[in-house]
Amino acid sequence: MGSVKLPIDDVLHAGPPATPLVEAVLDLVRERIRARFGESALDWDAFALTAADDLVTREDIESVEARILASGHRFDWSARVSVTERPDAHKPDGTASEANTGFAHPEAPSGDADDDGKALRGLGDNVVRYPSDIVGQALYVRSNERVMELLSSGVPTGAIAIIDDSGGTLTAPIIDQFAGVVCAGGSVRSHLGILTREYNIPCLMNAKVAGIREGDRISVEVSAPAKTTEDYQKGVERVARVWVIGEAA
């Protein structure tokens, strides 16, 4: 069956090619599916629609993970819980863990303050285009403990949350209190992107920021064109910028 073309071979990526690690995982998963399909003696529709859940086993997926880890790679993480629960399998994303020290993405653009006092500190994918940019204080939300703290004390008025959990589960209990969101993971189609759109909260996803501290006054360019599915598919660069306009005391 190794040389037989299967429908899964024609599945198109929704965006540009992923990282080598993601591509390797996808290739190994396809390899296991191909093997189970060949053993099943079913046609593709019967296999995919009725039998795959039983024939592709937990052990198959665990074997994929084992081969990745044996190669010396560990999985990148977006949600903080990943590296907390599975430090053997997940690697940190290279950003600081303390809330007030912020992110330090190596690809984040930066610059000196311009005539208006705005210093470029990052960019990201705009979820929804708004008439004007938003301004507020940076608030790092990166752990369950921080969420519980904010649930008790309340989110400061005008806070722009900077987080790395693109799933949205971490911040869901307080998301309606944010003036805006800047997320270091995901895309405009991620769970968090969908939630912020539904709550009418300006949001950048897949953000690369550096040099923003807790309490800094920032401006987020949500007046920039929103990134579309077609942009991802065609690899079109369409970004919104983030500036620091006043440093924390």
Side-chain angles (χ1 to χ4, degrees), residues 103 139-142 161-165 171 181-185 192:
F103 291 120
L139 175 72
Y140 281 90
V141 186
R142 309 186 66 187
I162 305 181
I163 65 179
D164 43 15
D165 179 12
T171 51
V181 171
V182 175
C183 180
L192 182 62

Side-chain angles (χ1 to χ4, degrees), residues 176-191:
D176 60 329
Q177 300 180 51
F178 298 145
V181 171
V182 175
C183 180
S187 74
V188 299
R189 296 163 299 173
S190 296
H191 185 205

Side-chain angles (χ1 to χ4, degrees), residues 18-243:
T19 64
L21 178 57
V22 171
E23 294 293 344
V25 172
L26 292 174
D27 286 343
L28 289 173
V29 169
R30 289 191 185 98
E31 178 184 296
R32 299 313 305 153
I33 291 174
R34 187 184 299 278
R36 294 304 181 218
F37 174 58
E39 296 165 358
S40 71
L42 299 169
D43 62 47
W44 176 254
D45 287 343
F47 174 81
L49 298 177
T50 63
D53 286 347
D54 294 324
L55 296 179
V56 180
T57 66
R58 179 188 180 96
E59 288 73 21
D60 287 324
I61 303 305
E62 288 177 343
S63 73
V64 169
E65 180 182 65
R67 289 176 64 180
I68 290 293
L69 296 178
S71 72
H73 291 284
R74 288 194 292 160
F75 297 103
D76 297 291
W77 61 285
S78 174
R80 183 182 176 93
V81 68
S82 301
V83 74
T84 302
E85 294 184 349
R86 293 288 312 280
D88 59 315
H90 294 273
K91 65 180 179 181
D93 61 0
T95 62
S97 59
E98 295 301 321
N100 62 356
T101 54
F103 291 120
H105 196 288
E107 298 177 15
S110 63
D112 296 330
D114 60 18
D115 293 341
D116 295 323
K118 298 167 64 175
L120 183 63
R121 290 293 180 265
L123 50 78
D125 300 342
N126 194 18
V127 176
V128 175
R129 188 174 195 176
Y130 287 84
S132 58
D133 299 339
I134 58 169
V135 172
Q137 283 194 313
L139 175 72
Y140 281 90
V141 186
R142 309 186 66 187
S143 68
N144 290 326
E145 292 77 15
R146 193 76 198 275
V147 172
M148 293 303 296
E149 172 192 327
L150 293 169
L151 275 171
S152 299
S153 61
V155 174
T157 301
I160 298 176
I162 305 181
I163 65 179
D164 43 15
D165 179 12
S166 62
T169 303
L170 176 70
T171 51
I174 53 176
I175 195 169
D176 60 329
Q177 300 180 51
F178 298 145
V181 171
V182 175
C183 180
S187 74
V188 299
R189 296 163 299 173
S190 296
H191 185 205
L192 182 62
I194 295 169
L195 283 177
T196 54
R197 184 165 54 244
E198 292 302 313
Y199 278 97
N200 197 32
I201 298 169
C203 176
L204 301 190
M205 299 294 296
N206 188 34
K208 299 175 177 64
V209 298
I212 299 176
R213 296 183 302 160
E214 175 94 1
D216 280 352
R217 190 164 177 80
I218 64 174
S219 176
V220 183
E221 191 183 22
V222 294
S223 63
K227 191 147 186 176
T228 67
T229 299
E230 186 177 9
D231 290 338
Y232 286 110
Q233 292 172 337
K234 295 184 176 181
V236 174
E237 281 295 313
R238 194 187 305 278
V239 297
R241 294 165 293 180
V242 182
W243 299 274

